[in-house]
Amino acid sequence: MPGPETVRDYLDAVEAQIRWKRARAVAARELETHLEDQREEFLAEGHPPEEAERLAVEEMGDPVAVGTELDRLHRPRPQWGMLALTLAMLLVGSWLRYALTRAGAPWDEELDPFRCALSAVAGAAVLMVAYFLDVSRLLRWAKWVYIGAVAVGVLSLHLSPTVNNASYFTRYVVLFYPAVYALWLYACRGKDWRGLLAAVTGGIPLTVVCMYAPFVQGMLQLMVIGCFLLLLAIWMGWFTLPRRQGMAAVGGLAAVMAGAVMWLLFGAGYNAARIQIFLHPEIDPQGAGYQAVMARRILGASRLVGKGGDLPIQLNTVQGMELPPEMMLPEWNHDFLPTTMVYKLGWLPYLLLLAALAVLLLWMLRRCACQQSQSGKLLALAVGLTLAGQSAFAVALNLGFVLFSAQLPLVTGNLHSMVDCALIGLALSAFRSESILRDTAVPVPRTPQTQTA
């Protein structure tokens, strides 16, 4: 049978062999570029346009064989291992939130087992939706995704209820901001110093939302991860400027921001007092240092396995019933849930839980290092570093170093676990779509030609 004679017919025949629908447009676009280059070569040799197109198609070869090979190369790369580990940790976290806090149900109506079960189901659904998300569309609409994220953050500041002097839902919006900033960097690529200036300026609205929430942990994570992503983008050649000069400029900016943060923490009287309590909570055991002192007492009474011993504290009585010892610690069922876990189950289960979380994060970061697509690498890296930062702050908090609120990923908080699932699903989607993610070529500036006499 005669083969196709036009580029369009050839591309249709090739696309028919590719089973993954998302890969068809990517493969066809690359193949069409190659065919157009060959057609131009035949035109330059003096062939008529129709004959040049036919010769280009013939030289490309059998469309069925080409399509079969492209189908082999452009396949989704499932991430079943990380998906299974995430789902397992989600279920364990939901069970812990119910099992460890049900003793406080008579005094707290919020401790509802139905909510824990619902968060597990919703978290799994969010994880799968994000996993099958088309990341290439996020990259294509990166600028609008950034604008939408800023708008959602501003709206949440005005519409969200205030809990513990902070905008409740804004805290969860901010957790997505490092990934949003990675998309913004992708939108700024291919430019010179103006592109770098736009990349830096794009971080300002995100930081302002964090400050007005206020959400100190989210702001610190955004600033540190954002600077790292920007340095990595410069190193990968995303901006048409001298690499060393660009990295030196961002390094100087990072030093200025670090100095500003240090001044806010140590220069201002209130924050300086908080740092002092952070380091030495025993100087105010019944006031600002109460949480840290109580957490350390609970940990000190804990055992390797099983419930901890008696605490040297006087237990409160509410409605004629004595409160469990762990309920003497504020946020015992939320931020300090890991401390409650250590006291009621022992150090060993808690360390095993941290080991599983560390395996997931290291697995994700290692996969980032092997990612061929620069855009996918930057996006997944933003997610991995966000989760790693949350974990570090939460571990420090539950060891009695109290500076600000922090949650352990997939363990602390129903809504927080759902947000973690969305972030992990986004990173796994980038890994899954690695074969079709294409980084737009950065234009290389032409060097002026000198004329010789």
Side-chain angles (χ1 to χ4, degrees), residues 14 16 76 110 114 124 165 169 189-190 199 247 253 272 321 333 344 363 383 406 429 445 452:
V14 170
E110 296 295 325
F114 176 74
N165 298 321
F169 291 113
R189 68 198 306 273
M247 297 186 70
L253 177 63
M321 294 183 292
N333 60 335
K344 300 188 75 170
W363 195 351
V383 171
S429 178
T452 57

Side-chain angles (χ1 to χ4, degrees), residues 152-172:
V152 170
V154 172
L155 285 175
S156 67
L157 288 173
H158 293 84
L159 302 178
S160 174
T162 300
V163 178
N164 295 329
N165 298 321
S167 179
Y168 181 73
F169 291 113
T170 307
R171 295 163 55 91
Y172 298 103

Side-chain angles (χ1 to χ4, degrees), residues 236-440:
M236 293 188 302
W238 279 24
F239 302 97
T240 58
L241 47 83
R243 182 179 298 173
R244 291 185 178 180
Q245 294 181 17
M247 297 186 70
V250 175
L253 177 63
V256 171
M257 290 192 301
V261 171
M262 295 296 289
W263 181 83
L264 288 174
L265 292 178
F266 295 100
Y270 174 71
N271 288 322
R274 293 186 66 180
I275 293 294
Q276 189 176 14
I277 294 295
F278 170 76
L279 298 175
H280 303 285
E282 64 277 1
I283 64 178
D284 190 10
Q286 297 301 321
Y290 178 79
Q291 274 188 315
V293 170
M294 186 59 63
R296 295 179 185 185
R297 287 179 180 176
I298 292 176
L299 294 177
S302 302
R303 296 188 173 97
L304 181 63
V305 178
K307 187 175 181 179
D310 295 333
L311 294 173
I313 58 175
Q314 183 178 359
L315 300 179
N316 294 336
T317 301
V318 179
Q319 299 176 0
M321 294 183 292
E322 194 175 70
L323 294 179
E326 62 271 12
M327 288 189 68
M328 299 299 295
L329 175 62
E331 296 291 322
W332 68 283
N333 60 335
H334 197 260
D335 289 1
F336 285 96
L337 183 66
T339 300
T340 303
M341 177 183 179
V342 173
Y343 180 72
K344 300 188 75 170
L345 301 181
W347 279 100
L348 184 59
Y350 175 59
L351 294 177
L352 291 175
L353 179 67
L354 290 183
L357 181 59
V359 167
L360 177 63
L361 295 177
L362 291 175
W363 195 351
M364 188 179 300
L365 294 176
R366 182 180 179 276
R367 191 67 182 80
C368 288
C370 301
Q371 183 84 352
Q372 295 180 357
S373 168
Q374 294 180 348
S375 53
K377 175 185 294 187
L378 215 65
L379 182 60
L381 191 60
V383 171
L385 293 178
T386 299
L387 296 173
Q390 291 182 46
S391 303
F393 284 126
V395 169
L397 176 73
N398 283 272
L399 288 177
F401 296 96
V402 180
L403 187 58
F404 44 71
S405 176
Q407 294 79 35
L408 191 65
L410 299 173
V411 175
T412 305
N414 293 329
L415 182 56
H416 194 279
S417 296
M418 293 171 59
V419 172
D420 293 331
C421 286
L423 288 171
I424 294 173
L426 182 62
L428 299 188
S429 178
F431 299 152
R432 179 176 179 268
S433 306
E434 181 181 6
S435 62
I436 62 171
L437 290 182
R438 294 294 182 267
D439 300 312
T440 308

Side-chain angles (χ1 to χ4, degrees), residues 13-28:
V14 170
E15 288 185 37
Q17 311 304 315
I18 302 176
R19 287 170 287 181
W20 192 16
K21 292 183 179 180
R22 294 182 188 174
R24 292 173 184 171
V26 176

